[in-house]
Coordinates of all heavy atoms in Angstrom, one line a residue:
M267 N 14.7 37.4 -20.4 CA 14.0 36.5 -19.4 C 12.6 36.2 -19.9 O 11.9 37.1 -20.3 CB 14.0 37.2 -18.1 CG 14.0 36.3 -16.9 SD 13.7 36.9 -15.4 CE 15.1 37.9 -14.9
S268 N 12.3 35.0 -19.8 CA 10.9 34.6 -20.3 C 10.0 34.5 -19.1 O 10.4 34.1 -18.0 CB 11.0 33.3 -21.0 OG 11.4 32.3 -20.2
A269 N 8.8 34.7 -19.3 CA 7.8 34.6 -18.2 C 7.5 33.1 -17.9 O 7.6 32.2 -18.8 CB 6.5 35.2 -18.7
P270 N 7.3 32.7 -16.7 CA 7.0 31.3 -16.4 C 5.7 30.9 -17.0 O 4.8 31.6 -17.2 CB 6.9 31.3 -14.9 CG 6.7 32.7 -14.4 CD 7.2 33.6 -15.5
D271 N 5.7 29.6 -17.4 CA 4.5 29.1 -18.0 C 3.3 29.0 -16.9 O 3.6 28.5 -15.9 CB 4.7 27.6 -18.5 CG 5.7 27.7 -19.7 OD1 5.8 28.7 -20.4 OD2 6.4 26.7 -19.8
P272 N 2.2 29.5 -17.3 CA 1.1 29.4 -16.4 C 0.7 27.9 -16.2 O 0.6 27.2 -17.2 CB 0.0 30.2 -17.0 CG 0.3 30.2 -18.4 CD 1.8 30.1 -18.5
K273 N 0.4 27.5 -15.0 CA -0.1 26.2 -14.8 C -1.5 26.0 -15.2 O -2.3 26.9 -15.1 CB 0.0 25.8 -13.3 CG 1.4 25.5 -12.8 CD 1.3 25.0 -11.4 CE 2.6 24.3 -11.0 NZ 2.5 23.8 -9.7
T274 N -1.8 24.8 -15.7 CA -3.2 24.5 -16.0 C -3.8 24.1 -14.8 O -3.2 23.6 -13.8 CB -3.2 23.4 -17.1 OG1 -2.6 22.2 -16.6 CG2 -2.5 23.8 -18.4
P275 N -5.1 24.2 -14.7 CA -5.8 23.8 -13.5 C -5.6 22.3 -13.1 O -5.6 21.9 -12.0 CB -7.3 24.0 -13.7 CG -7.3 25.1 -14.8 CD -6.0 24.9 -15.6
D276 N -5.4 21.5 -14.1 CA -5.1 20.0 -13.9 C -3.8 19.8 -13.2 O -3.6 18.7 -12.6 CB -5.2 19.3 -15.2 CG -6.6 19.3 -15.8 OD1 -7.5 19.4 -15.1 OD2 -6.7 19.1 -17.0
D277 N -2.8 20.7 -13.3 CA -1.6 20.5 -12.7 C -1.5 20.9 -11.2 O -0.6 20.6 -10.5 CB -0.5 21.3 -13.4 CG -0.2 20.8 -14.8 OD1 -0.6 19.6 -15.1 OD2 0.3 21.5 -15.7
D278 N -2.5 21.7 -10.8 CA -2.6 22.2 -9.5 C -2.9 21.1 -8.5 O -4.0 20.4 -8.6 CB -3.6 23.3 -9.4 CG -3.5 24.0 -8.0 OD1 -2.6 23.8 -7.3 OD2 -4.5 24.8 -7.8
P279 N -2.1 20.8 -7.5 CA -2.4 19.7 -6.5 C -3.7 20.0 -5.7 O -4.4 19.0 -5.4 CB -1.2 19.6 -5.6 CG -0.2 20.6 -6.1 CD -0.8 21.4 -7.2
L280 N -4.0 21.2 -5.5 CA -5.2 21.5 -4.7 C -6.4 21.1 -5.5 O -7.4 20.6 -5.0 CB -5.2 23.0 -4.3 CG -6.4 23.4 -3.5 CD1 -6.5 22.7 -2.2 CD2 -6.3 24.9 -3.3
V281 N -6.4 21.4 -6.8 CA -7.5 21.1 -7.7 C -7.7 19.6 -7.8 O -8.8 19.0 -7.7 CB -7.4 21.8 -9.1 CG1 -8.4 21.3 -10.1 CG2 -7.4 23.2 -8.9
T282 N -6.6 18.9 -7.9 CA -6.6 17.5 -8.0 C -7.2 16.8 -6.7 O -8.0 15.9 -6.8 CB -5.2 16.9 -8.2 OG1 -4.6 17.5 -9.4 CG2 -5.2 15.4 -8.4
Q283 N -6.7 17.3 -5.6 CA -7.2 16.7 -4.3 C -8.7 17.1 -4.1 O -9.5 16.2 -3.6 CB -6.4 17.2 -3.1 CG -5.0 16.7 -3.1 CD -5.0 15.2 -3.0 OE1 -5.8 14.5 -2.3 NE2 -4.2 14.5 -3.8
A284 N -9.1 18.3 -4.5 CA -10.6 18.6 -4.4 C -11.4 17.7 -5.3 O -12.5 17.3 -4.9 CB -10.7 20.1 -4.8
R285 N -10.9 17.5 -6.5 CA -11.6 16.6 -7.4 C -11.7 15.2 -6.8 O -12.8 14.6 -6.9 CB -10.9 16.5 -8.7 CG -11.7 15.8 -9.8 CD -11.0 15.8 -11.2 NE -11.0 17.2 -11.6 CZ -9.9 17.9 -12.0 NH1 -8.7 17.3 -11.9 NH2 -10.0 19.1 -12.4
L286 N -10.7 14.7 -6.3 CA -10.7 13.3 -5.6 C -11.7 13.3 -4.5 O -12.4 12.4 -4.3 CB -9.3 12.9 -5.1 CG -8.3 12.5 -6.2 CD1 -6.9 12.3 -5.6 CD2 -8.8 11.2 -6.8
R287 N -11.7 14.3 -3.7 CA -12.6 14.4 -2.5 C -14.1 14.4 -3.0 O -14.9 13.7 -2.5 CB -12.3 15.7 -1.7 CG -13.3 16.0 -0.6 CD -13.1 15.0 0.5 NE -14.0 15.5 1.6 CZ -15.0 14.7 2.1 NH1 -15.2 13.6 1.6 NH2 -15.8 15.2 3.0
R288 N -14.4 15.2 -4.1 CA -15.7 15.2 -4.6 C -16.1 13.9 -5.2 O -17.2 13.4 -4.9 CB -15.8 16.3 -5.8 CG -17.2 16.5 -6.3 CD -17.3 17.4 -7.4 NE -16.6 16.7 -8.6 CZ -15.8 17.3 -9.5 NH1 -15.6 18.5 -9.3 NH2 -15.3 16.6 -10.4
E289 N -15.2 13.2 -5.9 CA -15.5 11.8 -6.4 C -15.8 10.9 -5.3 O -16.7 10.0 -5.4 CB -14.4 11.3 -7.3 CG -14.3 12.1 -8.6 CD -13.0 11.8 -9.4 OE1 -12.2 11.0 -8.9 OE2 -12.8 12.4 -10.4
R290 N -15.0 10.9 -4.2 CA -15.2 10.0 -3.1 C -16.6 10.3 -2.4 O -17.3 9.4 -2.1 CB -14.1 10.1 -2.1 CG -12.8 9.5 -2.5 CD -11.8 9.7 -1.5 NE -10.5 9.3 -2.0 CZ -9.4 10.0 -1.7 NH1 -9.3 11.0 -1.0 NH2 -8.2 9.5 -2.2
H291 N -16.9 11.6 -2.3 CA -18.2 11.9 -1.7 C -19.3 11.5 -2.5 O -20.3 10.9 -2.0 CB -18.2 13.5 -1.4 CG -19.5 13.9 -0.8 ND1 -19.7 13.6 0.6 CD2 -20.6 14.6 -1.2 CE1 -20.9 14.1 0.9 NE2 -21.4 14.7 -0.2
E292 N -19.2 11.6 -3.9 CA -20.3 11.2 -4.7 C -20.5 9.7 -4.7 O -21.6 9.2 -4.7 CB -20.0 11.7 -6.2 CG -20.2 13.1 -6.4 CD -19.8 13.6 -7.7 OE1 -19.2 12.8 -8.5 OE2 -19.9 14.8 -8.0
R293 N -19.3 8.9 -4.6 CA -19.4 7.5 -4.5 C -20.0 7.1 -3.2 O -20.8 6.1 -3.1 CB -18.0 6.9 -4.6 CG -18.0 5.4 -4.7 CD -16.7 4.8 -4.9 NE -15.8 5.1 -3.7 CZ -14.5 5.1 -3.8 NH1 -13.9 4.8 -4.9 NH2 -13.8 5.4 -2.7
W294 N -19.7 7.8 -2.1 CA -20.3 7.5 -0.8 C -21.8 7.7 -0.8 O -22.6 7.0 -0.3 CB -19.7 8.3 0.3 CG -20.3 8.1 1.6 CD1 -20.0 7.1 2.4 CD2 -21.3 8.9 2.3 NE1 -20.7 7.1 3.6 CE2 -21.5 8.3 3.5 CE3 -21.9 10.1 2.0 CZ2 -22.4 8.8 4.4 CZ3 -22.8 10.6 2.9 CH2 -23.0 10.0 4.1
L295 N -22.3 8.8 -1.5 CA -23.7 9.0 -1.7 C -24.4 8.0 -2.5 O -25.5 7.6 -2.2 CB -23.9 10.4 -2.3 CG -23.6 11.6 -1.4 CD1 -23.7 12.9 -2.2 CD2 -24.4 11.7 -0.2
R296 N -23.7 7.5 -3.5 CA -24.3 6.4 -4.4 C -24.4 5.1 -3.6 O -25.3 4.4 -3.6 CB -23.5 6.2 -5.6 CG -23.9 7.0 -6.8 CD -23.2 6.5 -8.1 NE -21.8 6.0 -7.9 CZ -20.7 6.8 -8.0 NH1 -20.8 8.1 -8.2 NH2 -19.5 6.2 -7.9
E297 N -23.2 4.7 -3.0 CA -23.1 3.3 -2.4 C -23.4 3.3 -1.0 O -23.6 2.2 -0.5 CB -21.6 2.8 -2.7 CG -21.3 2.7 -4.2 CD -19.8 2.4 -4.4 OE1 -19.2 2.1 -3.4 OE2 -19.4 2.4 -5.5
G298 N -23.3 4.3 -0.3 CA -23.6 4.3 1.2 C -22.4 3.9 2.0 O -21.3 3.7 1.5
E299 N -22.6 3.7 3.3 CA -21.5 3.3 4.2 C -21.2 1.8 4.0 O -22.1 1.0 3.8 CB -22.0 3.6 5.6 CG -20.9 3.4 6.7 CD -19.9 4.5 6.6 OE1 -20.2 5.6 6.2 OE2 -18.7 4.2 6.9
M300 N -19.9 1.4 4.1 CA -19.5 0.0 4.0 C -20.0 -0.7 5.3 O -20.1 -0.2 6.4 CB -18.0 -0.1 4.0 CG -17.4 0.2 2.6 SD -15.7 -0.3 2.4 CE -14.9 0.6 3.7
S301 N -20.3 -2.0 5.1 CA -20.7 -2.8 6.1 C -19.5 -3.2 7.0 O -18.4 -3.1 6.6 CB -21.4 -4.1 5.6 OG -20.4 -4.9 5.0
I302 N -19.9 -3.6 8.2 CA -18.8 -4.1 9.2 C -18.0 -5.3 8.6 O -16.8 -5.3 8.7 CB -19.4 -4.5 10.5 CG1 -20.0 -3.3 11.2 CG2 -18.5 -5.2 11.4 CD1 -19.0 -2.3 11.7
G303 N -18.7 -6.2 7.9 CA -18.1 -7.3 7.3 C -17.0 -6.9 6.3 O -15.9 -7.4 6.2
R304 N -17.4 -5.9 5.5 CA -16.5 -5.5 4.4 C -15.3 -4.8 5.0 O -14.2 -4.9 4.5 CB -17.2 -4.6 3.5 CG -16.4 -4.2 2.3 CD -17.1 -3.6 1.2 NE -16.1 -3.2 0.2 CZ -16.5 -2.9 -1.1 NH1 -17.7 -3.0 -1.4 NH2 -15.6 -2.6 -1.9
R305 N -15.5 -4.0 6.1 CA -14.4 -3.3 6.8 C -13.4 -4.3 7.4 O -12.2 -4.2 7.3 CB -14.9 -2.4 7.8 CG -15.5 -1.1 7.3 CD -15.6 -0.1 8.3 NE -16.4 1.1 7.9 CZ -15.8 2.1 7.3 NH1 -14.5 2.2 7.2 NH2 -16.5 3.1 6.9
L306 N -14.0 -5.4 8.0 CA -13.2 -6.4 8.6 C -12.4 -7.2 7.5 O -11.2 -7.6 7.7 CB -14.0 -7.4 9.4 CG -14.5 -6.8 10.7 CD1 -15.5 -7.8 11.4 CD2 -13.4 -6.5 11.7
A307 N -13.0 -7.4 6.4 CA -12.3 -8.1 5.3 C -11.2 -7.2 4.8 O -10.1 -7.7 4.5 CB -13.4 -8.3 4.1
Q308 N -11.4 -5.9 4.7 CA -10.3 -5.0 4.3 C -9.1 -5.1 5.3 O -7.9 -5.1 4.9 CB -10.7 -3.6 4.1 CG -11.5 -3.4 2.8 CD -11.9 -2.0 2.6 OE1 -12.0 -1.2 3.5 NE2 -12.2 -1.6 1.3
I309 N -9.4 -5.1 6.6 CA -8.4 -5.2 7.6 C -7.6 -6.5 7.4 O -6.4 -6.5 7.5 CB -9.0 -5.0 9.0 CG1 -9.5 -3.6 9.2 CG2 -7.9 -5.3 10.1 CD1 -10.3 -3.4 10.4
G310 N -8.3 -7.6 7.2 CA -7.7 -8.9 7.0 C -6.8 -8.9 5.8 O -5.7 -9.4 5.8
V311 N -7.3 -8.3 4.7 CA -6.4 -8.3 3.5 C -5.2 -7.4 3.7 O -4.1 -7.8 3.3 CB -7.2 -7.7 2.3 CG1 -6.4 -7.3 1.1 CG2 -8.3 -8.7 1.9
L312 N -5.4 -6.3 4.4 CA -4.2 -5.5 4.7 C -3.2 -6.2 5.6 O -2.0 -6.1 5.3 CB -4.7 -4.2 5.4 CG -3.6 -3.1 5.7 CD1 -3.1 -2.6 4.4 CD2 -4.3 -2.0 6.5
G313 N -3.7 -7.0 6.5 CA -2.8 -7.8 7.3 C -2.0 -8.8 6.5 O -0.8 -8.9 6.7
W314 N -2.7 -9.5 5.6 CA -2.0 -10.5 4.8 C -1.0 -9.8 3.8 O 0.0 -10.4 3.5 CB -3.0 -11.3 4.1 CG -3.4 -12.4 5.0 CD1 -4.7 -12.5 5.6 CD2 -2.7 -13.5 5.6 NE1 -4.7 -13.6 6.4 CE2 -3.5 -14.2 6.4 CE3 -1.4 -13.9 5.4 CZ2 -3.1 -15.4 7.2 CZ3 -0.9 -15.1 6.1 CH2 -1.8 -15.7 7.0
I315 N -1.3 -8.6 3.3 CA -0.5 -7.9 2.4 C 0.9 -7.6 3.2 O 1.9 -7.6 2.5 CB -1.1 -6.6 1.9 CG1 -2.2 -7.0 0.8 CG2 -0.1 -5.7 1.2 CD1 -3.0 -5.8 0.4
F316 N 0.7 -7.3 4.4 CA 1.9 -7.0 5.2 C 2.7 -8.2 5.7 O 3.9 -8.2 5.7 CB 1.4 -6.1 6.4 CG 2.5 -5.4 7.1 CD1 3.0 -4.2 6.6 CD2 3.1 -5.8 8.3 CE1 4.0 -3.5 7.2 CE2 4.1 -5.2 8.9 CZ 4.5 -4.0 8.4
V317 N 2.0 -9.2 6.1 CA 2.6 -10.4 6.7 C 3.2 -11.4 5.7 O 4.2 -12.0 6.0 CB 1.6 -11.1 7.7 CG1 2.0 -12.4 8.1 CG2 1.3 -10.2 8.9
A318 N 2.5 -11.6 4.6 CA 2.9 -12.6 3.7 C 4.4 -12.4 3.2 O 5.2 -13.3 3.2 CB 2.0 -12.7 2.5
P319 N 4.8 -11.2 2.7 CA 6.2 -11.0 2.2 C 7.2 -11.1 3.4 O 8.3 -11.7 3.2 CB 6.2 -9.6 1.7 CG 4.8 -9.2 1.5 CD 4.0 -10.0 2.4
T320 N 6.8 -10.8 4.6 CA 7.7 -10.9 5.8 C 7.9 -12.4 6.0 O 9.1 -12.8 6.2 CB 7.0 -10.2 7.0 OG1 6.7 -8.9 6.7 CG2 8.0 -10.3 8.2
L321 N 6.9 -13.2 6.1 CA 7.1 -14.6 6.3 C 7.8 -15.3 5.1 O 8.6 -16.2 5.3 CB 5.7 -15.3 6.5 CG 5.0 -14.9 7.8 CD1 3.7 -15.6 7.9 CD2 5.8 -15.3 9.0
A322 N 7.5 -14.8 3.9 CA 8.3 -15.4 2.7 C 9.7 -15.1 2.9 O 10.6 -16.0 2.6 CB 7.7 -14.8 1.4
G323 N 10.1 -13.9 3.2 CA 11.5 -13.6 3.4 C 12.1 -14.4 4.5 O 13.3 -14.8 4.4
L324 N 11.4 -14.6 5.6 CA 11.9 -15.3 6.7 C 12.1 -16.8 6.3 O 13.2 -17.4 6.6 CB 11.0 -15.3 7.9 CG 11.4 -16.0 9.2 CD1 12.7 -15.5 9.7 CD2 10.3 -15.9 10.2
F325 N 11.2 -17.4 5.6 CA 11.3 -18.8 5.2 C 12.4 -19.0 4.2 O 13.2 -19.9 4.3 CB 10.0 -19.3 4.6 CG 8.9 -19.5 5.7 CD1 7.6 -19.1 5.4 CD2 9.2 -20.0 6.9 CE1 6.7 -19.3 6.4 CE2 8.2 -20.2 7.9 CZ 6.9 -19.9 7.6
I326 N 12.6 -18.1 3.3 CA 13.7 -18.2 2.3 C 15.0 -18.0 3.0 O 16.0 -18.7 2.7 CB 13.5 -17.2 1.2 CG1 12.3 -17.5 0.3 CG2 14.8 -17.1 0.3 CD1 11.9 -16.5 -0.7
G327 N 15.1 -17.1 3.9 CA 16.3 -16.9 4.7 C 16.7 -18.1 5.6 O 17.8 -18.5 5.6
R328 N 15.7 -18.7 6.2 CA 16.0 -19.9 7.0 C 16.4 -21.1 6.1 O 17.3 -21.8 6.5 CB 14.7 -20.3 7.8 CG 14.3 -19.4 8.9 CD 15.3 -19.3 10.0 NE 15.4 -20.6 10.7 CZ 16.4 -21.0 11.3 NH1 17.5 -20.2 11.5 NH2 16.4 -22.2 11.9
W329 N 15.8 -21.2 4.9 CA 16.2 -22.2 4.0 C 17.7 -22.0 3.5 O 18.5 -23.0 3.5 CB 15.3 -22.2 2.8 CG 15.7 -23.3 1.8 CD1 15.5 -24.6 1.8 CD2 16.4 -23.0 0.6 NE1 16.0 -25.2 0.7 CE2 16.5 -24.3 -0.1 CE3 16.8 -21.8 -0.1 CZ2 17.2 -24.3 -1.3 CZ3 17.4 -22.0 -1.3 CH2 17.6 -23.2 -1.9
L330 N 18.0 -20.8 3.2 CA 19.4 -20.5 2.8 C 20.4 -20.7 4.0 O 21.5 -21.2 3.8 CB 19.5 -19.0 2.3 CG 19.0 -18.7 0.9 CD1 19.0 -17.2 0.7 CD2 19.8 -19.5 -0.1
D331 N 20.0 -20.3 5.2 CA 20.8 -20.6 6.4 C 21.1 -22.0 6.6 O 22.2 -22.5 7.0 CB 20.3 -19.8 7.6 CG 20.4 -18.4 7.6 OD1 21.3 -17.9 6.9 OD2 19.7 -17.6 8.2
A332 N 20.0 -22.8 6.5 CA 20.1 -24.2 6.7 C 21.0 -24.9 5.7 O 21.8 -25.8 6.0 CB 18.7 -24.9 6.8
R333 N 20.8 -24.4 4.4 CA 21.6 -25.0 3.3 C 23.1 -24.7 3.4 O 23.9 -25.5 3.1 CB 21.0 -24.5 2.0 CG 21.6 -25.1 0.8 CD 20.8 -24.7 -0.4 NE 21.4 -25.1 -1.6 CZ 21.1 -26.2 -2.2 NH1 20.3 -27.1 -1.7 NH2 21.8 -26.5 -3.4
H334 N 23.4 -23.5 3.9 CA 24.8 -23.0 3.9 C 25.4 -23.0 5.4 O 26.6 -22.7 5.5 CB 25.0 -21.6 3.3 CG 24.6 -21.6 1.9 ND1 25.3 -22.2 0.9 CD2 23.5 -21.0 1.3 CE1 24.7 -22.0 -0.3 NE2 23.5 -21.3 0.0
G335 N 24.6 -23.3 6.4 CA 25.1 -23.4 7.8 C 25.6 -22.0 8.3 O 26.6 -21.9 8.9
T336 N 24.8 -20.9 8.0 CA 25.3 -19.6 8.3 C 24.6 -18.9 9.5 O 24.6 -17.7 9.7 CB 25.1 -18.7 7.1 OG1 23.8 -18.7 6.6 CG2 26.1 -19.1 6.0
G337 N 23.9 -19.7 10.3 CA 23.2 -19.1 11.5 C 22.0 -18.3 11.1 O 21.1 -18.9 10.5
I338 N 22.0 -17.0 11.3 CA 20.9 -16.2 10.9 C 21.4 -15.1 9.9 O 20.8 -14.1 9.8 CB 20.2 -15.5 12.1 CG1 21.1 -14.6 12.8 CG2 19.5 -16.5 13.0 CD1 20.4 -13.7 13.8
F339 N 22.4 -15.5 9.2 CA 23.0 -14.5 8.2 C 22.0 -14.1 7.2 O 21.9 -12.9 6.8 CB 24.3 -15.1 7.6 CG 24.9 -14.2 6.6 CD1 25.7 -13.2 7.1 CD2 24.8 -14.3 5.3 CE1 26.3 -12.3 6.2 CE2 25.4 -13.5 4.4 CZ 26.2 -12.4 4.8
W340 N 21.2 -15.0 6.6 CA 20.2 -14.7 5.6 C 18.9 -14.4 6.1 O 18.1 -13.7 5.6 CB 20.2 -15.8 4.6 CG 21.4 -15.9 3.7 CD1 22.4 -16.9 3.7 CD2 21.8 -14.9 2.7 NE1 23.3 -16.6 2.9 CE2 23.0 -15.4 2.2 CE3 21.3 -13.8 2.2 CZ2 23.7 -14.7 1.2 CZ3 22.0 -13.1 1.2 CH2 23.2 -13.6 0.8
S341 N 18.5 -15.0 7.3 CA 17.2 -14.9 7.8 C 16.8 -13.5 8.2 O 15.8 -13.0 7.8 CB 17.0 -15.8 9.1 OG 17.2 -17.1 8.8
A342 N 17.7 -12.8 8.9 CA 17.4 -11.5 9.4 C 17.3 -10.5 8.2 O 16.2 -9.7 8.2 CB 18.4 -11.0 10.4
P343 N 18.2 -10.4 7.3 CA 18.1 -9.4 6.2 C 16.9 -9.7 5.3 O 16.2 -8.8 4.9 CB 19.4 -9.4 5.5 CG 20.3 -10.4 6.2 CD 19.5 -11.0 7.3
L344 N 16.6 -10.9 5.0 CA 15.5 -11.3 4.1 C 14.2 -11.0 4.8 O 13.2 -10.6 4.2 CB 15.6 -12.7 3.6 CG 16.7 -12.9 2.6 CD1 16.8 -14.3 2.1 CD2 16.6 -12.0 1.4
M345 N 14.1 -11.2 6.1 CA 12.9 -10.9 6.9 C 12.6 -9.4 6.8 O 11.5 -8.9 6.6 CB 12.9 -11.4 8.3 CG 11.6 -11.2 9.0 SD 11.6 -11.7 10.7 CE 12.6 -10.5 11.5
L346 N 13.7 -8.6 7.1 CA 13.6 -7.2 7.0 C 13.2 -6.7 5.6 O 12.4 -5.8 5.5 CB 14.9 -6.5 7.4 CG 14.9 -5.0 7.6 CD1 13.9 -4.5 8.6 CD2 16.3 -4.5 7.9
L347 N 13.8 -7.3 4.6 CA 13.4 -7.0 3.2 C 11.9 -7.3 3.0 O 11.2 -6.5 2.4 CB 14.3 -7.7 2.2 CG 14.1 -7.4 0.8 CD1 14.4 -6.0 0.4 CD2 14.8 -8.4 -0.1
G348 N 11.5 -8.4 3.5 CA 10.0 -8.8 3.3 C 9.1 -7.8 4.1 O 8.1 -7.4 3.6
L349 N 9.6 -7.4 5.2 CA 8.9 -6.4 6.0 C 8.7 -5.1 5.3 O 7.7 -4.5 5.3 CB 9.6 -6.2 7.4 CG 8.9 -5.4 8.4 CD1 7.6 -6.0 8.9 CD2 9.8 -5.1 9.6
C350 N 9.8 -4.7 4.7 CA 9.8 -3.4 4.0 C 8.9 -3.5 2.7 O 8.1 -2.6 2.4 CB 11.2 -3.0 3.5 SG 12.2 -2.5 4.9
L351 N 9.0 -4.7 2.0 CA 8.2 -4.9 0.8 C 6.7 -5.0 1.2 O 5.8 -4.4 0.6 CB 8.6 -6.2 0.2 CG 7.8 -6.5 -1.1 CD1 8.0 -5.5 -2.2 CD2 8.2 -7.9 -1.6
G352 N 6.4 -5.6 2.3 CA 5.0 -5.7 2.8 C 4.5 -4.3 3.2 O 3.3 -4.0 2.9
G353 N 5.3 -3.5 3.9 CA 4.9 -2.2 4.3 C 4.6 -1.3 3.1 O 3.6 -0.6 3.0
W354 N 5.5 -1.4 2.1 CA 5.3 -0.6 0.8 C 4.1 -1.0 0.1 O 3.3 -0.2 -0.4 CB 6.6 -0.8 0.0 CG 6.5 -0.1 -1.3 CD1 6.6 1.3 -1.5 CD2 6.1 -0.6 -2.6 NE1 6.4 1.6 -2.9 CE2 6.1 0.4 -3.5 CE3 5.8 -1.9 -3.0 CZ2 5.8 0.3 -4.9 CZ3 5.5 -2.1 -4.4 CH2 5.6 -1.0 -5.3
S355 N 3.9 -2.4 0.0 CA 2.7 -2.9 -0.7 C 1.4 -2.4 0.1 O 0.4 -2.1 -0.6 CB 2.7 -4.4 -0.7 OG 3.8 -4.8 -1.5
A356 N 1.4 -2.5 1.3 CA 0.2 -2.1 2.2 C 0.0 -0.6 2.0 O -1.2 -0.2 1.8 CB 0.4 -2.4 3.6
W357 N 1.0 0.2 2.0 CA 0.9 1.6 1.8 C 0.3 1.9 0.4 O -0.6 2.7 0.2 CB 2.2 2.3 1.9 CG 2.2 3.8 1.8 CD1 1.7 4.7 2.7 CD2 2.6 4.5 0.6 NE1 1.9 5.9 2.1 CE2 2.4 5.9 0.9 CE3 3.1 4.2 -0.6 CZ2 2.7 6.9 0.0 CZ3 3.5 5.1 -1.5 CH2 3.2 6.5 -1.2
K358 N 0.8 1.2 -0.6 CA 0.3 1.5 -2.0 C -1.2 1.0 -2.1 O -2.0 1.7 -2.7 CB 1.1 0.6 -3.0 CG 2.5 1.2 -3.2 CD 2.6 2.5 -3.8 CE 2.4 2.3 -5.3 NZ 2.5 3.5 -6.1
W359 N -1.6 -0.1 -1.5 CA -2.9 -0.6 -1.5 C -3.9 0.4 -0.8 O -5.0 0.6 -1.3 CB -3.0 -2.0 -0.8 CG -4.4 -2.6 -0.9 CD1 -4.9 -3.2 -2.0 CD2 -5.3 -2.7 0.1 NE1 -6.2 -3.7 -1.7 CE2 -6.4 -3.4 -0.4 CE3 -5.3 -2.3 1.5 CZ2 -7.5 -3.6 0.3 CZ3 -6.5 -2.6 2.2 CH2 -7.6 -3.2 1.7
M360 N -3.4 0.9 0.4 CA -4.3 1.8 1.1 C -4.5 3.1 0.3 O -5.5 3.7 0.4 CB -3.7 2.1 2.5 CG -3.8 1.0 3.4 SD -3.0 1.3 5.0 CE -3.9 2.7 5.6
N361 N -3.5 3.6 -0.4 CA -3.6 4.9 -1.1 C -4.3 4.7 -2.4 O -4.7 5.7 -3.1 CB -2.2 5.5 -1.3 CG -1.7 6.1 0.0 OD1 -2.5 6.6 0.8 ND2 -0.4 6.0 0.2
S362 N -4.5 3.4 -2.9 CA -5.2 3.2 -4.1 C -6.7 3.2 -3.9 O -7.5 3.3 -4.8 CB -4.8 1.9 -4.8 OG -5.3 0.8 -4.0
R363 N -7.1 3.1 -2.7 CA -8.6 3.1 -2.3 C -9.2 4.5 -2.3 O -8.7 5.4 -1.8 CB -8.8 2.4 -1.0 CG -8.3 1.0 -1.0 CD -9.5 0.1 -1.4 NE -9.0 -1.2 -1.8 CZ -9.6 -1.9 -2.7 NH1 -10.6 -1.4 -3.4 NH2 -9.2 -3.1 -3.0

């Protein structure tokens, strides 16, 4: 039986999160608090990241339904797909900050 490989400190999730926290704190000390305008801009961007794929899916679905005469056969699933894509994109954008 072989001994388990010791983890390096870089592999430890606690060390990684502590490093990220320290970097964020240092950046906050350098740059200071964000202005209200910048926070509102981020909220607006987040909303568009979420809404744009949802509306795109809905419009493409409505176009396909009108073209093929299928009621809401394409509208509902493509809107849901756009909603999921927008939620995933918003989540990725929020976690990259």
Side-chain angles (χ1 to χ4, degrees):
M267 209 190 288
S268 64
D271 294 332
K273 280 188 166 183
T274 62
D276 293 334
D277 292 340
D278 188 11
L280 181 62
V281 172
T282 304
Q283 290 302 316
R285 186 176 296 121
L286 284 173
R287 172 75 173 114
R288 186 187 68 222
E289 290 169 2
R290 287 181 189 137
H291 182 71
E292 289 172 356
R293 185 176 62 200
W294 180 78
L295 289 175
R296 268 193 325 270
E297 298 173 6
E299 190 69 30
M300 280 195 297
S301 68
I302 294 290
R304 184 161 178 171
R305 286 193 188 271
L306 288 173
Q308 283 185 337
I309 291 169
V311 167
L312 184 62
W314 280 109
I315 287 173
F316 196 78
V317 168
T320 305
L321 291 177
L324 181 62
F325 289 137
I326 292 169
R328 291 295 295 156
W329 178 77
L330 285 171
D331 286 336
R333 186 168 173 94
H334 299 290
T336 54
I338 61 167
F339 182 77
W340 290 108
S341 297
L344 288 179
M345 185 181 75
L346 184 62
L347 182 66
L349 186 67
C350 292
L351 180 64
W354 178 78
S355 298
W357 180 77
K358 293 291 281 184
W359 184 77
M360 287 177 61
N361 285 325
S362 71
R363 298 269 166 214

